[in-house]
Amino acid sequence: MTCPLPEAATGRLRGAGCEIVTLPDGVPLGDAARHGALVGVDALVCTLTDRVDAAVLDAAPDLAVVATVSVGHEHIDTAHAARREVVVRTTPGALDAATADLTMLLILAACRRSSDAEATVRGATWTGWRLDQHLGLDLDGGRLGIVGWGRIGRAVAARAAAFGLEVIHHARRPTGDASFVADLDELLARSDVVSLHVPLTPDTRHLIDGRRLGLLRPTAVLVNTSRGAVVDEAALAEALHAGRLFGAGLDVYESEPDVHPRLRSAPGVTLLPHIGSATVRTRARMADLAVDGVLDALAAHPTSADRDRPTRRRIPYRSTATAHEETQRP
Ligand code: DGY
């Protein structure tokens, strides 16, 4: 493991007979791999901050599975994993509700400019109530453009309806839903709020670049809880500084944990430290799904211990996937 999991999750692994080795805090996975730490490792539990590239995979000759405690998997060389017949497991479904909730928080914060307003209270520069102070935008009657119509995008749409927002959405392929807009540029031009819910791939890197930011209305708000590199951060910072955008709400950044300095000083922006899935219950579910992935793969694959002791009994495995699906049903 590259980080400790909640006790309930590690308990399931120990109960199944796994020996757990946790990478010391601050040691990059690549360094550990280069020093032979992955020899004899059958399963790797990692997070989105670990780069699992070809060199790491090749430094783990016994590896059967990489289980990332995240839904995103752009940090894993999945093509090389497939070549090496290493299973890659993610945590789909577990974080939809938490991420959709945080998206609403950012939509509200950006529309009401609550970070700028709060800064006056914290900085003791608030001089009292004024009729024209910190005027924001109403959600009720506005139009939300959702880019990416997966589980999280749809969970945001359901929440947005309760705030009186009309929802339109764009996806690579027609979704069959009435609010589908085939042309992303058109969706950007028609939306009061745009929220991004696409995975990071070569196609989506800087999907929202300077040109597309220019299509947004000056009264519009951009929210990103997907991956930082989906947006050209420098171009966004300039648009905010120039007043070409009303505001933005960001939970993710191009080079985490670094945040573009022009973004940190931009007006009308709420900046959160990638906490979309950070609730106690969601993180516990994510850890549990990663453990499912490990036990599932090890049950189907001879482990390094099996090879040493061919008569060893297979790890008993009971999937918790059904329970997770139940809790995620809208
Ligand atoms: C994920 O799982 O990919 C999220 O970004 C974590 O919050």
Side-chain angles (χ1 to χ4, degrees):
M1 288 178 181
T2 62
C3 69
L5 294 188
E7 191 42 49
T10 42
R12 287 180 59 214
L13 288 172
R14 280 201 199 88
C18 294
E19 179 195 349
I20 299 173
V21 181
T22 308
L23 203 63
D25 206 15
V27 176
L29 180 60
D31 288 358
R34 256 192 307 283
H35 288 96
L38 298 184
V39 175
V41 165
D42 300 294
L44 176 66
V45 177
C46 66
T47 72
L48 55 87
T49 62
D50 300 305
R51 209 174 142 62
V52 186
D53 55 17
V56 166
L57 291 165
D58 288 344
D62 302 297
L63 199 62
V65 55
V66 177
T68 180
V69 192
S70 66
V71 73
H73 54 76
E74 69 286 339
H75 51 294
I76 302 171
D77 186 339
T78 49
H80 195 67
R83 275 193 292 278
R84 288 271 327 277
E85 295 185 8
V86 172
V87 173
V88 175
R89 292 282 295 257
T90 64
T91 60
L95 45 68
D96 302 347
T99 308
D101 288 351
L102 193 91
T103 302
M104 290 311 301
L105 185 157
L106 285 173
I107 290 174
L108 286 160
C111 287
R112 300 299 294 270
R113 295 203 145 172
S114 63
S115 293
D116 292 353
E118 187 186 6
T120 68
V121 179
R122 288 187 185 273
T125 57
W126 182 43
T127 51
W129 192 93
R130 279 173 52 121
L131 195 62
D132 60 353
Q133 200 176 48
H134 299 304
L135 300 187
L137 304 173
D138 288 301
L139 263 55
D140 188 36
R143 185 181 294 127
L144 168 65
I146 295 183
V147 181
W149 201 233
R151 279 184 302 260
I152 298 176
R154 281 179 275 130
V156 171
R159 285 156 176 74
F163 284 89
L165 282 161
E166 178 203 344
V167 175
I168 55 177
H169 73 276
H170 169 79
R172 274 180 307 167
R173 282 181 285 277
T175 60
D177 290 330
S179 59
F180 176 69
V181 176
D183 182 10
L184 174 58
D185 289 2
E186 182 193 328
L187 174 132
L188 297 176
R190 285 176 55 197
S191 299
D192 299 302
V193 178
V194 171
S195 189
L196 306 175
H197 301 284
V198 292
L200 180 61
T201 66
D203 288 343
T204 61
R205 184 171 293 274
H206 284 193
L207 182 70
I208 307 299
D209 56 7
R211 182 189 72 77
R212 287 205 161 112
L213 285 168
L215 299 173
L216 291 168
R217 302 168 180 178
T219 49
V221 154
L222 179 71
V223 168
N224 188 11
T225 56
S226 61
R227 282 294 181 265
V230 173
V231 178
D232 180 342
E233 239 170 46
L236 174 61
E238 288 322 310
L240 287 163
H241 278 284
R244 283 185 271 112
L245 208 56
F246 185 80
L250 305 176
D251 186 44
V252 288
Y253 306 90
E254 283 196 67
S255 307
E256 295 176 10
D258 296 334
V259 176
H260 196 291
R262 293 282 288 162
L263 263 186
R264 282 195 268 112
S265 62
V269 65
T270 292
L271 304 172
L272 295 179
H274 203 150
I275 56 168
S277 64
T279 71
V280 175
R281 193 177 66 185
T282 297
R283 287 283 163 85
R285 271 194 206 138
M286 291 167 75
D288 233 9
L289 282 182
V291 168
D292 285 353
V294 169
L295 296 182
D296 204 0
L298 294 190
H301 190 273
T303 65
S304 50
D306 287 329
R307 284 188 292 277
D308 296 343
R309 285 179 291 147
T311 53
R312 188 180 175 209
R313 196 168 53 85
R314 281 265 170 267
I315 291 170
Y317 168 60
R318 191 179 65 82
S319 171
T320 54
T322 317
H324 291 302
E325 279 155 20
E326 286 301 326
T327 55
Q328 287 305 309
R329 203 161 282 159

